[in-house]
Amino acid sequence: MIATPVKAELVPTQLSSKRKTVLSGVQPTGTLHIGNYIGALSVWVANQQSYRNLFMIANLHALTIPEAVKAESLRQKAREVAALYVACGIDPEQSVVFLQSDVPAHPYLAWILGCCIPLGWLERMTQYKSKASQADTVGSGLLNYPALQAADILAYRADFVPVGDDQNQHLEITRDVAQRFNHLFGEYFPLPETLNRSSGARIMGLDDPTVKMSKSLAEKHRNHAIMLLDKPNEIKRKIMSATTDSGSEVHIEDASPGVHNLLLLYETLSAQDRARVQAQFAGKGYGYLKKALVDVVVAVLQPIQSAYNDILADPQRLDDILQDGAAKANTIANKTLADVRRLVGV
Ligand code: AMP
Ligand code: TRP
């Protein structure tokens, strides 16, 4: 069963016979939450028919904080994320689903691209600065994270990368390194465009609507995020306890960040337009909005969870999907790598 389609802008279908390429991925560092679904996966699913798609599980990126890695858990999380891609509606017949670690051309290309990235670009990355400030030891992989992400994208010469807005800086550096490579070795890479939703590209934490909903905060604070595998009673507990403000009724014009976030969740998950959602909740109590949101979240997640359970019940099918995905991804990425090796002279 496929998840209820949520509102996600459709990019016009390509008219030319050659389909454009979409690539995206998620790190298997925790369970996916509703922000991952709205900002990334729902857009992948909505646009699936229009493109040649590759959806990757970025398990090599998960090694950039090696202290947080336990081999068995990383293996299992990678499969869980792959199963969730499919449960959310990614059709392996239409899209290539694969583990990053199954395509050796990614780290190979990352080395070559890394050689073209000035150190200053890497040191300026917001994600690097924030992760490095929290770590006791900073490995060079954390600094070189953008080189590997650029390789993920450029290995398929992707045209579009659908992600939440926290990834925009990574896409900028990908374009910059592609341009620098083209300048040094000859025009080769197309410059990929970021595909962000116009609303819902940044969902905030339920417990603290001033911070982005994230996997790492979800591990520390039990009411921070709705996880895709949460049961209805957990969803209810988290939404009913979500931070709002000292008021009691929805005022659309000056809604506080917490109320705005709840309205945004409702709008994106119910696939309704903003004016309708505003008319539905203006002047109503926060409790009314929260109850309506619980119903929508449960309705969206229920089919995803049931599809997820079906997939897990058939581990061979998941193995086949990943094996088939790896074969297809390797074919494309190896061709790019061969071209790149020729261009740089190795
Ligand atoms: P991550 O959880 O950082 O591996 O992110 C996986 C994908 O989900 C990326 O495309 C992110 O931009 C997107 N994403 C992560 N958190 C959010 C959020 N709170 N709101 C919208 N998109 C998000
Ligand atoms: N950095 C992304 C994140 O944390 C994951 C990622 C790795 C990715 N490689 C990618 C996303 C290539 C898009 C394209 O969410």
Side-chain angles (χ1 to χ4, degrees), residues 24-27 29 33 35-36 38-40 162-167 200-204 212-215:
S24 197
V26 175
Q27 285 190 74
T29 43
H33 51 70
N36 296 131
I38 296 171
V163 280
D165 72 3
D166 58 345
Q167 293 299 309
R202 177 173 293 248
I203 300 296
M204 309 308 274
K212 192 193 65 151
M213 185 179 282
S214 78
K215 294 191 206 111

mmCIF file of all heavy atoms in Angstrom, residues 24-27 29 33 35-36 38-40 162-167 200-204 212-215, ligand 1:
data_model
loop_
_atom_site.group_PDB
_atom_site.id
_atom_site.type_symbol
_atom_site.label_atom_id
_atom_site.label_comp_id
_atom_site.label_asym_id
_atom_site.label_seq_id
_atom_site.Cartn_x
_atom_site.Cartn_y
_atom_site.Cartn_z
ATOM 1 N N SER A 24 18.731 12.169 -4.424
ATOM 2 C CA SER A 24 18.733 12.675 -3.052
ATOM 3 C C SER A 24 19.052 11.541 -2.093
ATOM 4 O O SER A 24 19.160 10.378 -2.516
ATOM 5 C CB SER A 24 17.402 13.341 -2.701
ATOM 6 O OG SER A 24 17.580 14.149 -1.546
ATOM 7 N N GLY A 25 19.220 11.885 -0.828
ATOM 8 C CA GLY A 25 19.556 10.851 0.144
ATOM 9 C C GLY A 25 19.357 11.341 1.569
ATOM 10 O O GLY A 25 19.180 12.533 1.807
ATOM 11 N N VAL A 26 19.378 10.380 2.473
ATOM 12 C CA VAL A 26 19.238 10.677 3.903
ATOM 13 C C VAL A 26 20.297 9.855 4.635
ATOM 14 O O VAL A 26 20.574 8.712 4.248
ATOM 15 C CB VAL A 26 17.825 10.280 4.401
ATOM 16 C CG1 VAL A 26 17.709 10.455 5.901
ATOM 17 C CG2 VAL A 26 16.738 11.090 3.698
ATOM 18 N N GLN A 27 20.858 10.427 5.672
ATOM 19 C CA GLN A 27 21.822 9.667 6.485
ATOM 20 C C GLN A 27 21.065 8.713 7.408
ATOM 21 O O GLN A 27 20.115 9.142 8.067
ATOM 22 C CB GLN A 27 22.592 10.617 7.390
ATOM 23 C CG GLN A 27 23.629 11.443 6.708
ATOM 24 C CD GLN A 27 24.477 12.141 7.756
ATOM 25 O OE1 GLN A 27 25.300 11.529 8.414
ATOM 26 N NE2 GLN A 27 24.241 13.418 7.924
ATOM 27 N N THR A 29 21.214 7.872 10.359
ATOM 28 C CA THR A 29 21.750 8.086 11.710
ATOM 29 C C THR A 29 20.666 7.991 12.784
ATOM 30 O O THR A 29 20.935 8.212 13.949
ATOM 31 C CB THR A 29 22.435 9.460 11.798
ATOM 32 O OG1 THR A 29 21.608 10.410 11.122
ATOM 33 C CG2 THR A 29 23.795 9.435 11.150
ATOM 34 N N HIS A 33 11.865 11.244 10.718
ATOM 35 C CA HIS A 33 10.748 11.954 11.356
ATOM 36 C C HIS A 33 9.896 12.649 10.292
ATOM 37 O O HIS A 33 10.229 12.643 9.100
ATOM 38 C CB HIS A 33 11.273 12.939 12.414
ATOM 39 C CG HIS A 33 12.352 13.862 11.904
ATOM 40 N ND1 HIS A 33 12.108 14.864 10.997
ATOM 41 C CD2 HIS A 33 13.683 13.908 12.167
ATOM 42 C CE1 HIS A 33 13.232 15.508 10.734
ATOM 43 N NE2 HIS A 33 14.210 14.937 11.429
ATOM 44 N N GLY A 35 9.524 15.668 9.626
ATOM 45 C CA GLY A 35 10.231 16.738 8.892
ATOM 46 C C GLY A 35 10.962 16.165 7.690
ATOM 47 O O GLY A 35 10.936 16.744 6.597
ATOM 48 N N ASN A 36 11.609 15.000 7.856
ATOM 49 C CA ASN A 36 12.270 14.333 6.721
ATOM 50 C C ASN A 36 11.236 13.998 5.656
ATOM 51 O O ASN A 36 11.487 14.132 4.455
ATOM 52 C CB ASN A 36 12.930 13.006 7.145
ATOM 53 C CG ASN A 36 14.049 13.164 8.144
ATOM 54 O OD1 ASN A 36 14.078 12.478 9.155
ATOM 55 N ND2 ASN A 36 14.967 14.056 7.895
ATOM 56 N N ILE A 38 8.200 15.424 5.109
ATOM 57 C CA ILE A 38 7.625 16.584 4.418
ATOM 58 C C ILE A 38 8.677 17.274 3.545
ATOM 59 O O ILE A 38 8.448 17.528 2.362
ATOM 60 C CB ILE A 38 7.009 17.571 5.439
ATOM 61 C CG1 ILE A 38 5.846 16.897 6.158
ATOM 62 C CG2 ILE A 38 6.558 18.863 4.752
ATOM 63 C CD1 ILE A 38 5.294 17.676 7.340
ATOM 64 N N GLY A 39 9.863 17.541 4.139
ATOM 65 C CA GLY A 39 10.887 18.308 3.412
ATOM 66 C C GLY A 39 11.521 17.537 2.269
ATOM 67 O O GLY A 39 11.909 18.124 1.266
ATOM 68 N N ALA A 40 11.638 16.210 2.419
ATOM 69 C CA ALA A 40 12.361 15.444 1.409
ATOM 70 C C ALA A 40 11.492 14.354 0.768
ATOM 71 O O ALA A 40 11.078 14.465 -0.385
ATOM 72 C CB ALA A 40 13.629 14.839 2.023
ATOM 73 N N PRO A 162 16.175 17.218 -4.517
ATOM 74 C CA PRO A 162 15.106 17.623 -3.607
ATOM 75 C C PRO A 162 15.496 17.382 -2.151
ATOM 76 O O PRO A 162 15.728 16.242 -1.744
ATOM 77 C CB PRO A 162 13.925 16.719 -4.005
ATOM 78 C CG PRO A 162 14.498 15.606 -4.819
ATOM 79 C CD PRO A 162 15.914 15.919 -5.174
ATOM 80 N N VAL A 163 15.571 18.457 -1.380
ATOM 81 C CA VAL A 163 16.014 18.399 0.024
ATOM 82 C C VAL A 163 15.312 19.482 0.831
ATOM 83 O O VAL A 163 14.742 20.414 0.261
ATOM 84 C CB VAL A 163 17.544 18.660 0.134
ATOM 85 C CG1 VAL A 163 18.374 17.435 -0.198
ATOM 86 C CG2 VAL A 163 17.970 19.844 -0.727
ATOM 87 N N GLY A 164 15.388 19.383 2.161
ATOM 88 C CA GLY A 164 14.932 20.460 3.031
ATOM 89 C C GLY A 164 15.905 21.630 2.940
ATOM 90 O O GLY A 164 17.013 21.480 2.413
ATOM 91 N N ASP A 165 15.495 22.791 3.454
ATOM 92 C CA ASP A 165 16.337 23.968 3.195
ATOM 93 C C ASP A 165 17.646 23.976 3.990
ATOM 94 O O ASP A 165 18.543 24.759 3.698
ATOM 95 C CB ASP A 165 15.541 25.272 3.341
ATOM 96 C CG ASP A 165 15.197 25.607 4.770
ATOM 97 O OD1 ASP A 165 15.622 24.866 5.677
ATOM 98 O OD2 ASP A 165 14.495 26.617 4.979
ATOM 99 N N ASP A 166 17.804 23.070 4.958
ATOM 100 C CA ASP A 166 19.082 23.002 5.673
ATOM 101 C C ASP A 166 20.211 22.483 4.779
ATOM 102 O O ASP A 166 21.382 22.570 5.135
ATOM 103 C CB ASP A 166 18.956 22.116 6.928
ATOM 104 C CG ASP A 166 18.506 20.704 6.588
ATOM 105 O OD1 ASP A 166 18.018 20.468 5.467
ATOM 106 O OD2 ASP A 166 18.649 19.827 7.453
ATOM 107 N N GLN A 167 19.871 21.942 3.626
ATOM 108 C CA GLN A 167 20.888 21.390 2.726
ATOM 109 C C GLN A 167 21.334 22.374 1.646
ATOM 110 O O GLN A 167 22.169 22.054 0.806
ATOM 111 C CB GLN A 167 20.346 20.116 2.042
ATOM 112 C CG GLN A 167 20.118 18.967 2.992
ATOM 113 C CD GLN A 167 21.410 18.544 3.676
ATOM 114 O OE1 GLN A 167 22.423 18.305 3.019
ATOM 115 N NE2 GLN A 167 21.393 18.494 4.993
ATOM 116 N N GLY A 200 7.163 24.149 4.050
ATOM 117 C CA GLY A 200 7.445 22.831 4.622
ATOM 118 C C GLY A 200 8.884 22.381 4.410
ATOM 119 O O GLY A 200 9.230 21.263 4.752
ATOM 120 N N ALA A 201 9.739 23.268 3.873
ATOM 121 C CA ALA A 201 11.147 22.892 3.682
ATOM 122 C C ALA A 201 11.903 22.946 5.010
ATOM 123 O O ALA A 201 13.046 22.528 5.087
ATOM 124 C CB ALA A 201 11.815 23.800 2.659
ATOM 125 N N ARG A 202 11.259 23.488 6.052
ATOM 126 C CA ARG A 202 11.869 23.498 7.386
ATOM 127 C C ARG A 202 10.760 23.361 8.441
ATOM 128 O O ARG A 202 10.060 24.321 8.735
ATOM 129 C CB ARG A 202 12.650 24.801 7.605
ATOM 130 C CG ARG A 202 13.256 24.911 9.001
ATOM 131 C CD ARG A 202 14.152 26.124 9.089
ATOM 132 N NE ARG A 202 15.321 25.931 8.237
ATOM 133 C CZ ARG A 202 16.554 25.776 8.704
ATOM 134 N NH1 ARG A 202 16.791 25.828 9.987
ATOM 135 N NH2 ARG A 202 17.556 25.602 7.878
ATOM 136 N N ILE A 203 10.610 22.159 8.946
ATOM 137 C CA ILE A 203 9.640 21.903 10.014
ATOM 138 C C ILE A 203 10.378 22.063 11.343
ATOM 139 O O ILE A 203 11.518 21.611 11.481
ATOM 140 C CB ILE A 203 9.074 20.458 9.878
ATOM 141 C CG1 ILE A 203 8.359 20.264 8.522
ATOM 142 C CG2 ILE A 203 8.164 20.103 11.046
ATOM 143 C CD1 ILE A 203 7.122 21.114 8.309
ATOM 144 N N MET A 204 9.737 22.720 12.289
ATOM 145 C CA MET A 204 10.413 23.005 13.553
ATOM 146 C C MET A 204 10.057 21.954 14.614
ATOM 147 O O MET A 204 9.080 21.210 14.470
ATOM 148 C CB MET A 204 10.028 24.409 14.052
ATOM 149 C CG MET A 204 10.199 25.494 13.002
ATOM 150 S SD MET A 204 11.835 25.518 12.227
ATOM 151 C CE MET A 204 12.727 26.526 13.391
ATOM 152 N N LYS A 212 15.089 23.613 14.362
ATOM 153 C CA LYS A 212 14.647 22.679 13.316
ATOM 154 C C LYS A 212 14.404 21.297 13.922
ATOM 155 O O LYS A 212 15.178 20.853 14.773
ATOM 156 C CB LYS A 212 15.764 22.597 12.266
ATOM 157 C CG LYS A 212 15.389 21.906 10.987
ATOM 158 C CD LYS A 212 16.640 21.612 10.170
ATOM 159 C CE LYS A 212 17.521 20.625 10.897
ATOM 160 N NZ LYS A 212 18.360 19.759 10.054
ATOM 161 N N MET A 213 13.334 20.648 13.495
ATOM 162 C CA MET A 213 13.104 19.263 13.927
ATOM 163 C C MET A 213 14.272 18.424 13.414
ATOM 164 O O MET A 213 14.600 18.480 12.236
ATOM 165 C CB MET A 213 11.777 18.762 13.348
ATOM 166 C CG MET A 213 11.388 17.372 13.826
ATOM 167 S SD MET A 213 9.799 16.830 13.126
ATOM 168 C CE MET A 213 8.628 17.718 14.135
ATOM 169 N N SER A 214 14.921 17.652 14.307
ATOM 170 C CA SER A 214 16.075 16.877 13.847
ATOM 171 C C SER A 214 16.152 15.527 14.542
ATOM 172 O O SER A 214 15.629 15.351 15.648
ATOM 173 C CB SER A 214 17.368 17.654 14.082
ATOM 174 O OG SER A 214 17.732 17.561 15.444
ATOM 175 N N LYS A 215 16.841 14.589 13.860
ATOM 176 C CA LYS A 215 16.966 13.234 14.403
ATOM 177 C C LYS A 215 17.730 13.270 15.720
ATOM 178 O O LYS A 215 17.396 12.558 16.661
ATOM 179 C CB LYS A 215 17.739 12.349 13.425
ATOM 180 C CG LYS A 215 17.038 12.090 12.113
ATOM 181 C CD LYS A 215 17.805 10.979 11.371
ATOM 182 C CE LYS A 215 17.634 11.034 9.885
ATOM 183 N NZ LYS A 215 18.859 11.425 9.158
HETATM 184 P P1 AMP B 1 18.739 14.472 7.709
HETATM 185 O O1 AMP B 1 17.740 14.094 8.762
HETATM 186 O O2 AMP B 1 19.575 15.639 8.133
HETATM 187 O O3 AMP B 1 19.537 13.295 7.193
HETATM 188 O O4 AMP B 1 17.906 15.016 6.471
HETATM 189 C C1 AMP B 1 17.348 14.218 5.451
HETATM 190 C C2 AMP B 1 16.500 15.077 4.548
HETATM 191 O O5 AMP B 1 15.376 15.612 5.262
HETATM 192 C C3 AMP B 1 17.244 16.304 3.989
HETATM 193 O O6 AMP B 1 16.762 16.580 2.692
HETATM 194 C C4 AMP B 1 16.840 17.391 4.934
HETATM 195 O O7 AMP B 1 16.943 18.680 4.362
HETATM 196 C C5 AMP B 1 15.391 17.035 5.226
HETATM 197 N N1 AMP B 1 15.007 17.532 6.557
HETATM 198 C C6 AMP B 1 15.623 17.229 7.725
HETATM 199 N N2 AMP B 1 15.021 17.859 8.756
HETATM 200 C C7 AMP B 1 14.015 18.590 8.214
HETATM 201 C C8 AMP B 1 13.020 19.466 8.764
HETATM 202 N N3 AMP B 1 12.968 19.699 10.063
HETATM 203 N N4 AMP B 1 12.144 20.049 7.920
HETATM 204 C C9 AMP B 1 12.195 19.801 6.588
HETATM 205 N N5 AMP B 1 13.098 18.990 6.001
HETATM 206 C C10 AMP B 1 14.002 18.383 6.794
#
